[in-house]
Amino acid sequence: MNKTNIIPLFAKVREKQPLIHHITNNVTINDCANVTLAIGGSPVMATGIEEVADMAQLADALVINFGTIDNTMYQAMILAGQSANRKGIPVIFDPVGVGATRFRTELAREFIKKVKVTIVRGNASEIFSLVGGDAQTRGVDAGEVSIAKESLVLKAAQQFHAVTVISGKEDVISDGSDIVTVENGDILLSRVTGTGCMTASLIACFAGAIDNQFFAAVAGMSVMSLAGELAREQLEGHEGLGTFRVKLMDEITNMSGEKWEAGARLK
Amino acid sequence: MNKTNIIPLFAKVREKQPLIHHITNNVTINDCANVTLAIGGSPVMATGIEEVADMAQLADALVINFGTIDNTMYQAMILAGQSANRKGIPVIFDPVGVGATRFRTELAREFIKKVKVTIVRGNASEIFSLVGGDAQTRGVDAGEVSIAKESLVLKAAQQFHAVTVISGKEDVISDGSDIVTVENGDILLSRVTGTGCMTASLIACFAGAIDNQFFAAVAGMSVMSLAGELAREQLEGHEGLGTFRVKLMDEITNMSGEKWEAGARLK
Amino acid sequence: MNKTNIIPLFAKVREKQPLIHHITNNVTINDCANVTLAIGGSPVMATGIEEVADMAQLADALVINFGTIDNTMYQAMILAGQSANRKGIPVIFDPVGVGATRFRTELAREFIKKVKVTIVRGNASEIFSLVGGDAQTRGVDAGEVSIAKESLVLKAAQQFHAVTVISGKEDVISDGSDIVTVENGDILLSRVTGTGCMTASLIACFAGAIDNQFFAAVAGMSVMSLAGELAREQLEGHEGLGTFRVKLMDEITNMSGEKWEAGARLK
């Protein structure tokens, strides 16, 4: 993918300030709200079944995250997702922990039948489970999968009719025909909770500000991976994950088309 | 308002360590607990419908925040609010997102009929919706309102029989007859989630430690706006919202009557 | 206790990366996930009644925390706890706020009858309430108790048939026959929300990686108290609780057998 497709998008997000409705887990909900603000969006995290359909109608994109899923929250997700579908609002789906328990796996497979999702983001075993594979996700961490990531992301994008993002050491993104690989990243991103969830929020900010969902997915994913690299570079010897998290949010605040162009490594 | 009314209150909060019961959203609940500790209070965040009435009886002030409202949480708020009313414990109401959906607006208007609130804090479109105006809150962000803030805060305070705080670029506070304007603040306060919610917690700490609710509202609101200014001054060029949040909590920890006197700009 | 029992455990946690299932409050859930990662474990925070029994089976330890308890969450805790019991997975119980309301106290006493807990961690009034004493916990803060901590911890460990940890200015830990006192700590640990909850997560990481539950409890408790001391030492004059929290997480990330040996003061 040509970098010139992505460079102008940062200014577009900051200009439009897209409203991002999240129905998400209570572990990383604060991080998701803050990262949305950091990149230039505006978060709203309404989860009440009584109002989610109305709130989704006001939004520029909807994020659905399965981190702490139960049946009540699932009903809210269906209502919000179908409401977003009616108005053509992009839906970003993060199937956290799918593959770990049967409950999650079955609900996630049902969700993508009932709601048309625009972009799906997960780790390899989550996506493998979602396409029907028999992966064992370890809690919410990626387990082993028996298929190359490139084949998996292509297959998933075709099956879901949705841009698909698999995050990992290298991130792969596909629209069902092309594949982009993001070579940025740092191992510390896997040692802070919520970097995956926050990536979905970043993707949603781009998806809510522009029309091309493939560009949105590449932009959001690469911002997180690049920001992780840049945050790590600033750590001094005695610092740890506390400081890394702070620097990560700083780097996302200060991300720009120019900074991204200089640092992003796409393939 | 004479600054000498506020200066001694910081020591009073730290001496009494008021217990602040919050029933609040799960986005900023951790920030609210930490800011309560930072100013010298003690937070408790019980939300179970089975115990909120009992917990409210133990508290020095009760904070009710509509950020992630649903019917179950609303029932708990009514029980806690009426329990606080029976014992004369101040109730601080934060109508987050009111004006965005009909569900929120109707529930908030009902809440202030069923529970006697002591202090109300919101942005302009939330307060405008609460007094019966037809504002369109944008998610949880302020929308446009067709009335001057000073008229609105006065009208609201009279209508609610409660001290009312409207936060924004300048903050206005009224007890129904006088109006105080806080000229402190920084745009970054609107780019971190929860600064509004945390302001309600700060107000509650003062309200739980002293009798004058107007002073409590001015103190709590101005602490947040001043701390935002001081935190911004410490940012170096490459830092962003991650560092700003940390410095903000530092500044609130270190706030004192003297520091406040030197920095606060009231009108 | 001989320090040589504890020194090698840090490497064991980092090697095994135990999966720690938490059913916990929504105030400090993010901190608990991050501290689990910082010490070398892997957190999963599933709370849905539909899957907690399955998720607990995948875990190396289960943390049950009463911070924002209600009946729905309690049912999930019973299901997960009994599931863990069936497979012999250690259960760490944190009776937050027990003694503050009758609801909490009765539910906690019932919980330890229905689920075999391996380690219990609380402050003095929480543990006193749990053994049947008539303490008044102040919200979630320790109240006064009429019994020496050493007698209380011994009695509790014997009554629960569980290693018991009482945190405070000095922490005491007992397996029902021996008592270990941790003399590390800093008053700032009581001014940040969640340090108690995070201690339970740390204990769970050790309990999920080794067989000796007494060692696990001493290791987890002393890591938090020592990290608090080390974090405080790094604060500069103008810094406050925001920076302290960041440094605390840094110190836990960088904790090692050697660092612990040099700093821990056991008796």
Side-chain angles (χ1 to χ4, degrees):
Chain A
M1 182 174 287
N2 199 310
K3 280 190 177 183
T4 55
N5 294 323
I6 307 293
I7 296 165
L9 306 188
F10 295 87
K12 285 202 175 156
V13 171
R14 292 198 163 107
E15 187 190 320
K16 182 167 180 188
Q17 297 184 27
L19 183 64
I20 313 300
H21 181 194
H22 294 70
I23 304 182
T24 188
N25 67 76
N26 62 349
V27 187
T28 65
I29 190 169
N30 180 273
D31 293 329
C32 289
N34 272 317
V35 86
T36 298
L37 287 159
I39 200 71
S42 174
V44 64
M45 320 309 262
T47 52
I49 207 157
E50 305 87 350
E51 67 163 358
V52 287
D54 287 347
M55 195 64 91
Q57 293 277 321
L58 303 174
D60 297 298
L62 173 67
V63 175
I64 298 293
N65 175 304
F66 261 38
T68 47
I69 189 75
D70 62 18
N71 275 326
T72 305
M73 192 181 271
Y74 181 68
Q75 295 311 320
M77 290 170 172
I78 293 290
L79 288 172
Q82 293 179 340
S83 175
N85 282 174
R86 281 194 294 278
K87 214 178 152 184
I89 294 163
V91 177
I92 291 80
F93 180 41
D94 194 341
V96 179
V98 166
T101 66
R102 196 156 73 173
F103 174 69
R104 261 166 213 258
T105 307
E106 288 177 358
L107 231 54
R109 289 178 186 167
E110 186 186 284
F111 182 79
I112 55 173
K113 282 181 196 145
K114 293 195 170 175
V115 172
K116 190 190 156 10
V117 299
T118 318
I119 304 175
V120 180
R121 187 221 73 86
N123 61 40
S125 60
E126 289 161 353
I127 299 297
F128 190 60
S129 299
L130 199 57
V131 297
D134 189 18
Q136 180 61 58
T137 304
R138 188 170 179 268
V140 295
D141 291 338
E144 298 288 316
V145 297
S146 56
I147 174 175
K149 254 190 193 178
E150 286 73 14
S151 314
L152 178 58
V153 78
L154 201 60
K155 178 188 165 89
Q158 289 165 358
Q159 187 174 320
F160 308 149
H161 302 287
V163 172
T164 300
V165 179
I166 299 179
S167 48
K169 190 170 179 307
E170 295 197 334
D171 316 303
V172 291
I173 302 141
S174 177
D175 62 354
S177 59
D178 290 333
I179 298 179
V180 172
T181 301
V182 178
E183 298 186 313
N184 299 88
D186 190 280
I187 185 72
L188 291 185
L189 287 170
S190 67
R191 294 195 58 207
V192 169
T193 195
T195 54
C197 307
M198 285 192 274
T199 300
S201 299
L202 290 171
I203 291 171
C205 289
F206 289 99
I210 61 166
D211 285 330
N212 188 311
Q213 303 300 307
F214 195 20
F215 293 173
V218 172
M221 181 71 248
S222 59
V223 165
M224 179 54 77
S225 293
L226 173 56
E229 256 179 45
L230 297 174
R232 159 74 83 125
E233 285 171 14
Q234 292 182 44
L235 289 191
E236 296 168 29
H238 61 288
E239 293 175 330
L241 295 171
T243 302
F244 177 73
R245 277 183 81 201
V246 173
K247 301 279 188 200
L248 182 66
M249 201 62 87
D250 281 356
E251 289 299 329
I252 295 168
T253 314
N254 295 324
M255 193 61 69
S256 64
E258 295 66 41
K259 208 162 183 175
W260 181 88
E261 186 184 13
R265 297 192 301 284
L266 305 185
K267 205 170 60 181
Chain B
M1 183 174 286
N2 199 310
K3 281 190 176 182
T4 54
N5 293 323
I6 307 293
I7 296 165
L9 306 188
F10 294 86
K12 285 202 176 157
V13 170
R14 292 195 164 110
E15 187 190 319
K16 182 166 181 188
Q17 297 183 28
L19 184 65
I20 312 301
H21 181 194
H22 294 70
I23 304 183
T24 189
N25 68 76
N26 62 348
V27 187
T28 65
I29 191 168
N30 181 273
D31 294 328
C32 290
N34 272 317
V35 86
T36 298
L37 287 160
I39 200 69
S42 174
V44 63
M45 319 309 262
T47 52
I49 206 157
E50 305 87 349
E51 67 164 359
V52 287
D54 286 348
M55 195 64 92
Q57 293 278 320
L58 303 174
D60 297 298
L62 172 67
V63 175
I64 297 294
N65 176 305
F66 260 38
T68 49
I69 190 75
D70 62 18
N71 275 325
T72 305
M73 192 181 272
Y74 180 68
Q75 295 311 319
M77 290 169 171
I78 293 289
L79 288 173
Q82 293 180 339
S83 175
N85 281 175
R86 280 193 295 278
K87 215 178 150 185
I89 294 163
V91 177
I92 291 79
F93 181 41
D94 194 342
V96 179
V98 166
T101 67
R102 196 158 72 173
F103 174 69
R104 262 167 213 257
T105 307
E106 287 178 358
L107 233 52
R109 289 178 186 168
E110 186 186 285
F111 182 79
I112 56 172
K113 282 181 196 145
K114 292 195 171 176
V115 172
K116 190 191 156 11
V117 300
T118 319
I119 303 174
V120 180
R121 186 222 73 86
N123 61 40
S125 60
E126 289 162 352
I127 299 298
F128 190 60
S129 299
L130 199 58
V131 297
D134 189 17
Q136 181 61 58
T137 304
R138 188 170 179 267
V140 295
D141 290 339
E144 297 288 316
V145 296
S146 57
I147 173 176
K149 253 192 195 176
E150 286 72 14
S151 313
L152 178 58
V153 78
L154 201 60
K155 178 188 165 91
Q158 287 165 359
Q159 187 174 320
F160 308 150
H161 302 288
V163 172
T164 300
V165 179
I166 300 180
S167 47
K169 190 171 180 306
E170 294 197 334
D171 316 303
V172 291
I173 303 142
S174 176
D175 61 356
S177 60
D178 290 333
I179 298 179
V180 172
T181 301
V182 177
E183 298 186 313
N184 299 87
D186 190 281
I187 185 73
L188 292 184
L189 288 170
S190 68
R191 295 196 57 209
V192 169
T193 195
T195 54
C197 308
M198 286 191 275
T199 300
S201 299
L202 290 171
I203 292 172
C205 289
F206 288 100
I210 61 165
D211 285 331
N212 189 312
Q213 303 300 308
F214 194 20
F215 294 173
V218 172
M221 181 70 249
S222 59
V223 165
M224 179 55 77
S225 293
L226 172 57
E229 255 179 45
L230 297 173
R232 158 74 83 124
E233 285 170 13
Q234 292 182 43
L235 288 191
E236 297 169 27
H238 62 288
E239 293 175 330
L241 294 171
T243 301
F244 177 73
R245 275 183 84 202
V246 172
K247 301 280 188 201
L248 182 66
M249 201 62 88
D250 282 356
E251 289 301 329
I252 294 168
T253 314
N254 295 323
M255 194 61 69
S256 63
E258 295 67 39
K259 209 163 182 175
W260 182 88
E261 186 185 11
R265 296 193 300 284
L266 306 185
K267 205 171 59 180
Chain C
M1 182 174 288
N2 198 310
K3 281 190 177 183
T4 54
N5 293 323
I6 307 293
I7 297 165
L9 307 187
F10 294 87
K12 285 202 175 156
V13 170
R14 292 194 164 110
E15 187 190 320
K16 183 167 180 187
Q17 297 184 25
L19 184 65
I20 312 300
H21 182 194
H22 293 70
I23 304 182
T24 189
N25 67 77
N26 61 349
V27 187
T28 65
I29 191 168
N30 181 274
D31 293 328
C32 290
N34 272 317
V35 85
T36 298
L37 287 159
I39 200 70
S42 174
V44 64
M45 320 308 263
T47 53
I49 206 157
E50 305 87 351
E51 67 163 358
V52 287
D54 287 348
M55 196 62 93
Q57 293 277 320
L58 303 173
D60 297 298
L62 172 67
V63 175
I64 298 294
N65 175 305
F66 260 39
T68 48
I69 191 74
D70 62 18
N71 275 324
T72 305
M73 191 181 271
Y74 180 69
Q75 295 310 319
M77 289 170 172
I78 293 288
L79 288 171
Q82 293 179 340
S83 175
N85 281 174
R86 281 194 293 280
K87 215 179 151 184
I89 294 163
V91 178
I92 291 78
F93 180 42
D94 194 341
V96 179
V98 167
T101 66
R102 196 156 74 173
F103 174 68
R104 263 166 213 256
T105 306
E106 287 177 359
L107 233 54
R109 289 177 186 167
E110 185 185 284
F111 182 78
I112 55 172
K113 282 180 197 146
K114 292 195 170 175
V115 172
K116 191 191 156 10
V117 299
T118 319
I119 303 175
V120 180
R121 187 221 73 85
N123 62 39
S125 60
E126 289 161 353
I127 299 297
F128 190 60
S129 299
L130 199 58
V131 298
D134 189 18
Q136 181 61 56
T137 304
R138 189 170 178 266
V140 295
D141 291 338
E144 297 288 317
V145 296
S146 57
I147 173 176
K149 255 192 192 177
E150 287 74 14
S151 313
L152 177 59
V153 78
L154 201 60
K155 178 188 165 91
Q158 288 166 359
Q159 187 174 320
F160 308 149
H161 302 288
V163 172
T164 300
V165 179
I166 300 179
S167 46
K169 191 169 178 308
E170 294 198 334
D171 316 303
V172 291
I173 303 142
S174 177
D175 62 355
S177 60
D178 290 333
I179 297 178
V180 171
T181 301
V182 177
E183 299 185 313
N184 299 88
D186 190 281
I187 186 72
L188 292 184
L189 288 170
S190 67
R191 294 195 58 207
V192 169
T193 195
T195 53
C197 307
M198 286 191 273
T199 300
S201 298
L202 290 170
I203 291 171
C205 289
F206 288 99
I210 61 165
D211 286 330
N212 189 311
Q213 303 300 308
F214 194 20
F215 293 174
V218 172
M221 182 70 248
S222 59
V223 165
M224 180 54 77
S225 293
L226 173 56
E229 254 179 45
L230 297 173
R232 159 74 84 125
E233 285 170 13
Q234 292 182 44
L235 289 192
E236 296 168 28
H238 61 289
E239 293 175 331
L241 295 172
T243 301
F244 177 73
R245 276 184 81 200
V246 173
K247 301 281 188 198
L248 182 66
M249 201 63 88
D250 281 357
E251 289 300 329
I252 294 168
T253 313
N254 295 323
M255 193 60 69
S256 64
E258 295 66 40
K259 209 163 182 173
W260 182 88
E261 186 185 11
R265 295 192 302 283
L266 307 185
K267 205 170 59 179

